[in-house]
Amino acid sequence: MTHLKKATALALLMSLSGTVYSTAAVAAPDYAKIEERKNAKTKIMGERTGKKVVKAFDLYNEDKVDEAIALLKELEPSSDFDKATVNRYLGSMYAQKENYAEAIKYGRLAIAPDALNFKDQADLYKLLGDLLAGTGKFNDAIKSYNDWMDFTGEEDSKVYARIAQGYYELKQYNKVVEPADKAIELEKEPNKQYHMIKIGAFFELKQYQEAVKVGETLVKLFPEDPQMWTRLGSFYMQTEQYSKGQTVMEIAYKKGYFEKENHYKILGSYYSLNEIPYKAAIVFEKAIKEGKIERVKKNVTAVASYFHQAKNLISAAKYYEEAAKFDDDAELYRKAGSLLLSKQKYSAAVKKLNKALELGTDKKGMTYSDLAEAYLYQEKYKKAYQSIVKAQEDPRTRKFARGWATFIKDKAQRKGVKI
């Protein structure tokens, strides 16, 4: 009998798209029996059943699927082979209608008597596994895939991968790697998804070093794939291998492989962790200017912080001020003012420090102390003294401010300025 001309919708959609893990179940095929089945005489349906099945297929090919199903269900075949064949076709038609519960039901009925011709029985085991997996019955799907291996004595990379996927969906992560490895071993061309199945399992198991090893393999197998580089770069962060992570992310950056904002952030983090904050600042600054990183407060503050760490204080102050403007952040204005003061930019420092006070900074003592210093170096002694007196109101700076108050007052008197 001719096979169905139309593929089932589910079979067309079945593909690996996630991460899964499993232990390949041990098949125990009886090779003598397998050979006997393969060499057995091909069975054909009885004439009476066969004629009605042909009519059913005529209806099916006219897109009258419901009528075809109804006709097949009216049949009462006498032999196990005829029953199994009719049930197989019913299962396929129900799958075409996306009625997977009925498709699975009739698929199981077709398999049960072990009466179909070898290839049809083998194909049905695999299709049943796909249907079961597609409806979330992963334990049953894994069993069906293993039954296929048992029945045929064959191994298939896609079947092992689907077994791995099933274990992953069942959250049995410790069982994923073995079938995934078998899938990798049997595949003629490297398949990224099979490796990603392993990585997913290792992450769920918190075995990050193992995940890194797989990531390193993927970079070697697919050196032109940007995601392999950026993914491995992020993995190194999990294992605190900051030097390796920086190297990988630098290569990806230079090759133009960065596709997400987070990639720039990871590289910036590596530069900072490896005590090269200036490079982090430059990468962030450039990415913001080019629109690769969004110009929002958090990211602008990061640029400021990196410049601050690198002791490039003028640039740091500039970006702290820019970040402060997003929502009138008093603390960032204070930081900008303090850095400008340290670089002897007294007039600019005064503006930022007064802005911080205006916005209600909770570090008033420190802000007034810096403000007093900025005024002092501008020889604005009255304002310097007024500021240092205000600094005494904060218990955190009171002692320091009292000492400075005396110094400022004496300095003013020597300059002939009355406080």
Side-chain angles (χ1 to χ4, degrees):
M1 176 58 59
T2 306
H3 290 289
L4 289 176
K5 294 180 180 178
K6 301 178 182 177
T8 69
L10 182 62
L12 288 172
L13 292 171
M14 284 298 296
S15 63
L16 285 169
S17 59
T19 21
V20 205
Y21 309 83
S22 118
T23 315
V26 179
D30 183 334
Y31 291 103
K33 190 172 183 180
I34 290 168
E35 286 304 310
E36 182 182 332
R37 283 171 173 155
K38 284 182 177 180
N39 296 323
K41 185 178 178 180
T42 301
K43 303 171 189 174
I44 58 173
M45 282 190 295
E47 185 177 356
R48 179 174 169 276
T49 301
K51 285 181 179 179
K52 290 192 176 181
V53 168
V54 168
K55 287 182 182 179
F57 272 102
D58 287 340
L59 291 169
Y60 176 82
N61 288 322
E62 293 171 10
D63 289 328
K64 297 178 180 179
V65 182
D66 289 334
E67 291 88 337
I69 288 173
L71 182 55
L72 289 175
K73 290 177 80 169
E74 289 175 2
L75 297 176
E76 295 181 356
S78 56
S79 73
D80 285 344
F81 173 74
D82 285 5
K83 288 178 185 176
T85 301
V86 169
N87 285 330
R88 181 165 73 92
Y89 291 142
L90 279 168
S92 297
M93 289 184 186
Y94 274 118
Q96 183 68 41
K97 284 173 59 66
E98 299 184 14
N99 185 339
Y100 301 125
E102 288 296 290
I104 289 167
K105 169 187 166 183
Y106 282 101
R108 282 174 163 159
L109 287 172
I111 282 175
D114 190 11
L116 295 169
N117 289 314
F118 181 82
K119 186 178 184 307
D120 291 337
Q121 183 87 358
D123 290 346
L124 193 52
Y125 274 122
K126 199 182 287 187
L127 176 60
L128 181 59
D130 291 349
L131 290 168
L132 289 163
T135 53
K137 297 177 175 64
F138 298 108
N139 276 317
D140 289 345
I142 290 167
K143 181 181 183 303
S144 191
Y145 290 135
N146 282 317
D147 285 344
W148 174 82
M149 287 190 279
D150 238 2
F151 182 81
T152 62
E154 298 174 14
E155 294 180 306
D156 180 86
S157 60
K158 291 181 178 60
V159 169
Y160 275 118
R162 287 169 185 170
I163 289 172
Q165 184 74 39
Y167 280 121
Y168 186 82
E169 297 295 339
L170 291 167
K171 302 186 187 303
Q172 297 181 25
Y173 305 119
N174 61 321
K175 295 182 177 180
V176 172
V177 174
E178 188 179 341
D181 278 339
K182 287 295 292 184
I184 291 166
E185 177 189 334
L186 292 169
E187 192 72 5
K188 292 179 181 178
E189 294 294 329
N191 187 306
K192 295 173 192 174
Q193 289 297 331
Y194 299 170
H195 293 273
M196 291 307 301
I197 286 172
K198 292 175 63 179
I199 286 174
F202 285 135
F203 263 85
E204 293 291 347
L205 295 167
K206 294 182 169 50
Q207 295 177 6
Y208 302 123
Q209 292 285 2
E210 297 303 316
V212 163
K213 290 177 185 176
V214 181
E216 290 171 340
T217 298
L218 281 169
V219 164
K220 293 174 184 175
L221 290 173
F222 305 99
E224 302 304 317
D225 187 328
Q227 289 187 358
M228 299 303 106
W229 290 89
T230 53
R231 187 179 285 122
L232 176 59
S234 68
F235 290 170
Y236 282 125
M237 189 69 74
Q238 292 286 343
T239 56
E240 299 183 4
Q241 294 175 274
Y242 304 136
S243 180
K244 285 186 176 181
Q246 178 185 313
T247 299
V248 168
M249 292 305 282
E250 279 182 328
I251 292 171
Y253 179 59
K254 290 172 183 176
K255 285 178 174 285
Y257 287 168
F258 282 11
E259 299 171 344
K260 299 177 181 177
E261 184 174 291
N262 193 49
H263 296 154
Y264 296 93
K265 292 181 177 180
I266 291 170
L267 179 56
S269 295
Y270 279 131
Y271 281 137
S272 180
L273 290 164
N274 290 323
E275 299 182 358
I276 319 173
Y278 183 72
K279 282 192 173 183
I282 295 302
V283 166
F284 252 64
E285 184 180 50
K286 185 173 185 290
I288 286 176
K289 286 179 179 178
E290 293 176 350
K292 303 294 178 62
I293 292 180
E294 191 177 1
R295 191 180 283 273
V296 295
K297 180 184 178 183
K298 178 176 65 174
N299 294 334
V300 174
T301 304
V303 178
S305 179
Y306 286 139
F307 274 126
H308 195 168
Q309 291 175 46
K311 302 191 185 320
N312 190 325
L313 303 186
I314 297 297
S315 293
K318 168 190 166 186
Y319 281 106
Y320 277 136
E321 181 182 5
E322 182 181 334
K325 289 178 179 178
F326 279 95
D327 56 3
D328 284 339
D329 190 314
E331 173 59 14
L332 293 181
Y333 274 116
R334 186 201 67 77
K335 282 187 175 182
S338 180
L339 294 182
L340 289 166
L341 172 63
S342 69
K343 296 301 290 185
Q344 301 178 11
K345 304 291 183 182
Y346 303 125
S347 179
V350 165
K351 289 180 181 178
K352 307 305 177 291
L353 293 167
N354 274 323
K355 186 71 173 178
L357 290 167
E358 177 190 324
L359 292 171
T361 177
D362 60 359
K363 294 183 178 178
K364 286 185 169 58
M366 188 181 298
T367 308
Y368 276 118
S369 294
D370 284 345
L371 191 57
E373 185 177 350
Y375 282 134
L376 177 64
Y377 285 116
Q378 293 180 87
E379 298 185 351
K380 296 179 179 179
Y381 299 113
K382 286 185 178 181
K383 288 186 175 181
Y385 188 73
Q386 290 169 357
S387 297
I388 207 66
V389 168
K390 295 291 289 183
Q392 294 177 47
E393 296 175 7
D394 189 332
R396 293 169 292 185
T397 53
R398 183 172 296 148
K399 185 176 180 181
F400 165 80
R402 282 174 178 168
W404 259 83
T406 302
F407 174 80
I408 292 170
K409 192 172 186 179
D410 290 345
K411 181 86 170 174
Q413 286 176 347
R414 287 198 300 273
K415 292 286 185 176
V417 177
K418 189 175 180 180
I419 299 298

